[in-house]
Amino acid sequence: MGKVLLPQHLHRLGDVLVSCKNMHDFLLQVVKYSTLISTSMYAQLVVGKDSTTLTFKHSVPDFSPHSTAFESAMVIIITLLKKLLSQETIGLKEVHLTRSSPLQSCYQDFFQADVHFRATGHSLVICNSKLSQPLPLFDAKIRAYQEQLIQQDL
């Protein structure tokens, strides 16, 4: 848990994420608030021609959190998007994990994408064609209100 965002504020962050306009907006909010959830890592979003990559990196030099922290964040993001879209597949093309391959099939079954183990970092690669897909709970007013509350608490 981050030192900045207290557990009772996670509900507000969840409201911000579920009230996003589309998947791209959702991923931008993950990047914006990633250091509030964990002060030992941060997220970056890189938009390419055909796909967008959400990468998680260490924010503390010479400190390497266990890969489980990164994997947990990735699972939460994918699970929330699957629930919001009521779909098992969300346009995820690849998943990159630093761990070795214990049970590759269970990872591929969950992510519904190619999973690459022993990668140099942790990332999710998503098809750009899916990023504009609207999220059903989009509400600009709720999102703005919840973001305002988060900012007041910082």
Side-chain angles (χ1 to χ4, degrees):
M1 185 62 62
K3 295 177 185 174
V4 182
L5 189 67
L6 300 174
Q8 63 265 29
H9 301 134
L10 287 175
H11 178 77
R12 291 183 186 149
L13 180 56
D15 283 345
V16 169
L17 293 175
V18 299
S19 62
C20 287
K21 183 176 183 175
N22 54 39
M23 282 180 52
H24 185 255
D25 186 26
F26 179 99
L27 295 174
L28 288 173
Q29 297 311 305
V30 167
V31 169
K32 180 178 179 178
Y33 291 111
S34 63
T35 56
L36 294 179
I37 296 168
S38 176
T39 54
S40 64
M41 67 179 182
Y42 65 96
Q44 286 182 315
L45 197 64
V46 178
V47 180
K49 182 180 176 186
D50 298 319
S51 61
T52 294
T53 303
L54 178 65
T55 303
F56 295 92
K57 299 190 176 199
H58 306 290
S59 59
V60 181
D62 301 323
F63 174 72
S64 180
H66 194 273
S67 65
T68 305
F70 294 107
E71 291 173 22
S72 296
M74 295 164 78
V75 166
I76 290 168
I77 290 165
I78 297 304
T79 301
L80 187 52
L81 283 170
K82 285 179 176 182
K83 295 279 187 198
L84 284 172
L85 295 168
S86 298
Q87 299 174 3
E88 271 304 304
T89 59
I90 58 164
L92 193 59
K93 290 173 62 172
E94 297 177 20
V95 176
H96 299 265
L97 304 171
T98 59
R99 72 164 47 246
S100 58
S101 172
L103 298 170
Q104 185 171 354
S105 64
C106 73
Y107 283 85
Q108 288 180 322
D109 289 346
F110 172 77
F111 287 112
Q112 295 291 305
D114 291 333
V115 180
H116 303 276
F117 294 96
R118 296 184 188 225
T120 58
H122 297 86
S123 60
L124 301 169
V125 181
I126 302 169
C127 297
N128 283 347
S129 62
K130 296 290 189 175
L131 293 180
S132 60
Q133 184 172 356
L135 297 180
L137 299 177
F138 171 61
D139 189 321
K141 290 180 183 179
I142 288 176
R143 178 172 153 186
Y145 176 71
Q146 294 297 342
E147 284 188 281
Q148 180 183 9
L149 291 176
I150 290 172
Q151 294 304 318
Q152 288 173 1
D153 290 338
L154 297 180

